Amino acid sequence: MDTKRIYKFLSNIATHNNREWMQEHKAEYQYCKEEFEKGVAELIGKISEFDPEIAHLTPKDCIYRFNRDIRFSQDKSPYKRHFGAYICAHGKKSLRGGYYIHLQPGRSFVSIGCYWLPTNILTSCRNEIMGNIDEWLKAVNNGEFIHTFGYPGEGVFVDDGELSDKGFGHHLLKTAPRDFPKDYEYLDYLRMKDYAVWHRVEDSFFSKDNWMQEAIKIFKVGKPMMDFTNSVIDDYE
């Protein structure tokens, strides 16, 4: 994966985010897109060695469109400023948790889990956590997980903005969710609106010969948490 060219292109599109510039540099975009697809294809193969559920996926199943949906956004720039791929057994539009890589100058990261679950599934996840708290704590309250991702709500994640070095949960409710006990010992896990974790990396991370092995180490730390929530989400998909 030619990350030098990819990051240069992404830096340029951040500065010249308009259709005229893109038309003039369409060949460069196509080259970078194909290079990213090669990296994702190889990563799928590596992940499938320990998670065979995703072995059937292709890069097109995982890579998001580069065009932005600007219908409800104040930012009308037509293109994203990053390349992202969500490697999920049920597809990138699934609610199910999966593996994610994000290449963006100064804001690259590796992530795993599920993002923005609907209320009914969140409620089921919360009930499952309360009913199996020992199993949940084993997955998320151990030294390796905390070192890699931290505690619930400690991280900061703002789209195309501030990003902390690590994080567990993009958003938390201010209080206990409805019909859940406010004095529950592990309330922070119930206040979470998503069960996703991330670990920020340097832009040079994806240029390393062993970047896939390093990404997989991060994925494996978060996988027990993802498997726990996926066991709930699978009842709805």
Side-chain angles (χ1 to χ4, degrees):
M1 188 164 65
D2 191 344
T3 55
K4 184 176 180 179
R5 290 269 292 272
I6 290 173
Y7 277 106
K8 183 178 180 180
F9 170 79
L10 292 173
S11 294
N12 284 332
I13 198 67
T15 304
H16 310 283
N17 203 314
N18 59 74
R19 289 181 175 83
E20 292 76 18
W21 188 91
M22 177 62 97
Q23 286 300 314
E24 293 174 4
H25 298 82
K26 194 171 183 178
E28 183 66 10
Y29 163 70
Q30 193 62 37
Y31 172 83
C32 292
K33 178 175 176 285
E34 291 173 0
E35 283 296 303
F36 186 59
E37 288 174 350
K38 290 177 186 177
V40 172
E42 189 173 352
L43 183 60
I44 291 170
K46 295 292 184 182
I47 294 174
S48 67
E49 293 175 6
F50 69 90
D51 188 351
E53 284 190 330
I54 60 92
H56 65 284
L57 296 172
T58 68
K60 290 184 179 180
D61 297 321
C62 307
I63 296 174
Y64 290 105
R65 295 175 68 249
F66 196 61
N67 292 70
R68 296 180 63 248
D69 183 352
I70 61 175
R71 291 174 297 172
F72 308 106
S73 175
Q74 292 182 343
D75 179 3
K76 298 302 181 182
S77 54
Y79 305 108
K80 295 176 181 175
R81 298 164 178 83
H82 66 271
F83 282 159
Y86 187 50
I87 301 171
C88 174
H90 292 187
K92 58 178 177 284
K93 294 183 179 180
S94 170
L95 296 173
R96 204 172 193 265
Y99 312 90
Y100 179 74
I101 60 170
H102 185 99
L103 277 65
Q104 182 175 3
R107 200 178 179 278
S108 298
F109 62 92
V110 175
S111 178
I112 182 172
C114 49
Y115 181 63
W116 283 120
L117 292 173
T119 301
N120 61 328
I121 301 180
L122 266 178
T123 298
S124 293
C125 286
R126 290 160 177 162
N127 283 322
E128 192 72 13
I129 289 170
M130 290 187 70
N132 299 275
I133 190 61
D134 290 341
E135 179 184 350
W136 177 254
L137 290 176
K138 184 178 179 181
V140 303
N141 196 31
N142 61 76
E144 191 173 25
F145 185 96
I146 294 167
H147 174 75
T148 307
F149 306 118
Y151 293 99
E154 284 190 338
V156 178
F157 190 106
V158 179
D159 289 341
D160 283 326
E162 186 178 358
L163 178 71
S164 57
D165 289 340
K166 57 186 177 181
F168 181 17
H170 294 74
H171 303 89
L172 271 69
L173 296 171
K174 292 182 180 180
T175 60
R178 184 177 179 180
D179 298 327
F180 283 86
K182 295 181 179 180
D183 60 349
Y184 183 59
E185 182 179 0
Y186 304 105
L187 182 60
D188 282 350
Y189 297 122
L190 308 185
R191 292 170 53 223
M192 300 175 73
K193 290 184 177 182
D194 60 85
Y195 294 100
V197 294
W198 71 87
H199 188 88
R200 187 170 183 168
V201 297
E202 297 292 332
D203 293 347
S204 59
F205 176 87
F206 293 101
S207 299
K208 298 177 182 177
D209 292 337
N210 67 337
W211 77 263
M212 291 186 195
Q213 290 79 6
E214 292 299 312
I216 285 170
K217 287 180 183 178
I218 297 170
F219 290 149
K220 285 184 174 180
V221 174
K223 189 173 185 295
M225 179 273 298
M226 181 182 73
D227 289 343
F228 186 104
T229 55
N230 276 347
S231 69
V232 178
I233 296 167
D234 284 346
D235 291 337
Y236 294 85
E237 291 201 329

